[in-house]
Amino acid sequence: MKEIASYIREGAMAFLKREYKTMIIVIVVLFLLIGVAINWTTAVLYVLGALLSVLAGYFGMNVATRGNVRTASAAKDGGMVKALSVAFRSGAVMGLCVSGLGLLGLGIVVCALDLATVVQCITGFGLGASSMALFGRVGGGIYTKAADVGADLVGKVEAGIPEDDPRNPAVIADNVGDNVGDVAGMGSDLFESYVGSIISAITLAAIASQASNGAFSETTAAVFPMILAAVGIIASVIGILLVRGKEGGNPAAALNAGTYIAGVIVIIATLALSQTMLGSLKYAVAIIAGLIVGIAIGKITEVYTSGDYGSVKKIAEQSQTGAATTIISGLGVGMLSTVLPIIFICVGVYAAYACAGLYGIALAAVGMLSTTGMTVAVDAYGPVSDNAGGIAEMSELPHEVREITDKLDAVGNTTAAIGKGFAIGSAALTALALFASYAAVTQLDSISLLEPIVIIGVFIGAMLPFLFSALTMNSVSSAANQMIEEVRRQFRTIPGIMEGTGKPDYAKCVDISTAAALKQMIVPGLIAIVAPLVVGIVLGPEALGGMLAGALSAGVLLAIMMANAGGAWDNAKKYIEEGHFGGKGSEPHKAAVVGDTVGDPFKDTSGPSINILIKLMTIVAVVFAPLFVQIGGLL
């Protein structure tokens, strides 16, 4: 067990180090660009945000790659309850690092600088977090899905061997990918959402103070979201400590209980803080609206992606007639799953704005993300459980151990889907709040859809999520093709590999995924930075506002569709593996594996990266807004 875990850990840490070396180039270039074009304080804060984002991902993955083997051991010696505890608390380290480092960094900035400088420059901190999150999410997503697709198509479908079979050369790369994509990448994703929501509230503090007719100062309005975030961390710690599994019980119930308890604590504290600091409960209503929207999106995502509900069962049933109907039904589920989340987001935005204006929308985003520590803990628990199952399979532990880890992993698939839905919902509110900050900086009271230049911006913005998704999907396809060829080559040329007497070359597959991910992540990552700069300079601030609106609307819908379709395909496959419709090895199972393979880059690469795309473009627009006002509109 220790030997196998060491392969996974070494592969994950090696990838992270190589990825960070690539990111250093981006950090240096953007630091100089921001320093020359805007100011050096913003540039320094950019570097601080980038470094803390990197640290959050590193700390979380460091513990996750230690917690996987301990979870497998706990399942062997202590059963379901002990395994759940170890896996969940491994994920909790990631959650508390995200919220703790985010609030620590912002706290240092607010304490070290005067308020005017903070409002002017703090968006640099958010840009640092966002840029690192996008490269982390895209790079990790390409890595994990290249390995996963190669392992599934050649191992499961062609060779007919079980998932995580040690004879599969791509199995270690697949387990490494769970960590670099779903732990480090996801942690960086929610880190930038978390700090972005607080930053947008800080930058709108002056507007809020003026609208209150002197009921509270700008300083109070700027500090309020940070106090709320601090309460959220305490609530998350309490929620984490109260997660307790029961032998034979459903792990999802224990995880949901912790999430709901943390949410209730935040709601109670919000009512008190809103009245005492801001003199009115209307600000609490905006915050609670955001929190309720986040929980609602999580529940809706569960309904569309969990094997306990009809949508996933329907996809599994459709698998009886082949892979084509599996894919068609999964796409249908993904598209249908966009309706209710969008309606809830619209209701949340309306309620927040009606209560507290643009500042209220920012507070709604802060409210939704206030329990980030708990949310990320629930999400990161999934990859740890998945890795534990792989280690149990490769170590040939008793069958009962694999049953426990499979049950934890099935719940982990759903929690991961919920986490992605939560991230997308928070991205919508955060991007909208940052969009309000952009309008304030550029002094845009309105953007007219009757202006052709604005419509051009809207169309460009709506196109970008599709271009971005195409690039990331093609990157996964290209890298997976290399992986498939390598796995086939090893099956052909290594003597005794199928009999278990020959040892696969795991390192070669790890290297293929690493090299492909680092090469392919550059262009999609640069699009998010370059597009707003080009549109803002060439077409001007109004056209850029249209572009951001188009990207937000198209991006949120596409991200929800892809994430939920992918999650539904994955759990449809697992539903069949539990013994329904013929079980493992049957024709419906093979069709479901194909559906799951299509869904892998949907839910783990392109889908979750889109929400970072729309936030990164928005915060690039906010940071460089003074430049666009001065020289924008060359046409």
Side-chain angles (χ1 to χ4, degrees), residues 207 245-246 313 386 403 483 502 555 578:
I207 295 175
K246 293 181 181 179
K313 292 177 182 177
D386 194 0
E403 287 182 352
M483 185 68 70
E578 290 171 0

Side-chain angles (χ1 to χ4, degrees), residues 570-593:
D570 193 350
N571 277 336
K573 176 199 70 175
K574 283 196 163 44
Y575 184 74
I576 292 174
E577 288 175 347
E578 290 171 0
H580 303 93
F581 305 116
K584 288 185 178 181
S586 64
E587 290 304 312
H589 181 238
K590 290 180 180 179
V593 169

Side-chain angles (χ1 to χ4, degrees), residues 174 258 358 452:
D174 187 9
L358 295 176

